[in-house]
Amino acid sequence: MCGQELIDSDRARARLAREAVAFAFDVSAEEISAPTRRSSRVAFARQVAMYLAHVAFELNLARVGQAFGRDRSTASHACQIVEDRRDDPQFDAWLDGLEDCLRTAPDPRADRMALP
């Protein structure tokens, strides 16, 4: 896979994580994508989306940051914040559900079946 295909694939995965988290948090994906922090709820949703892109799709932190328009240190901080919250069993179970959904999503690079 060439560099541009890799970037496009990362962005597609980040978009999927962002959309799933937007639905789960009941916030808009546009707010999560905003270049500024926004409310603490939106900022935490963004951190969860970045964490899920890292964990569910196995993107390194630099690629997560790039896919979300942030830098590697921001992605690292997001993952640390979310990991710390996983001590709460209810949050951990909720996050496991989101992670499972993303892990089982079809690969955007896979050959698509012909639609009728």
Side-chain angles (χ1 to χ4, degrees):
M1 184 180 308
C2 75
Q4 187 58 45
E5 287 175 349
L6 189 60
I7 291 169
D8 291 345
S9 177
D10 290 354
R11 286 189 179 139
R13 288 185 168 111
R15 186 174 57 248
L16 181 57
R18 187 172 39 252
E19 293 289 340
V21 170
F23 177 80
F25 273 77
D26 194 26
V27 298
S28 76
E30 291 78 21
E31 285 287 300
I32 292 174
S33 298
T36 58
R37 185 177 185 277
R38 306 294 180 169
S39 70
S40 59
R41 180 175 175 80
V42 171
F44 185 61
R46 182 182 308 108
Q47 291 168 334
V48 169
M50 293 174 87
Y51 173 85
L52 288 170
H54 175 60
V55 172
F57 298 128
E58 300 178 357
L59 300 179
N60 68 41
L61 294 173
R63 289 170 58 192
V64 170
Q66 185 177 24
F68 280 86
R70 304 306 203 264
D71 61 25
R72 187 206 60 76
S73 64
T74 301
S76 176
H77 177 70
C79 290
Q80 290 171 351
I81 294 295
V82 175
E83 270 300 323
D84 288 347
R85 291 281 306 270
R86 291 202 81 157
D87 291 338
D88 174 357
Q90 187 175 11
F91 178 76
D92 187 54
W94 178 84
L95 196 58
D96 277 343
L98 279 175
E99 189 177 330
D100 289 344
C101 286
L102 293 175
R103 284 185 192 267
T104 59
D107 187 334
R109 296 169 294 166
D111 290 336
R112 305 205 193 304
M113 295 183 344
L115 298 175

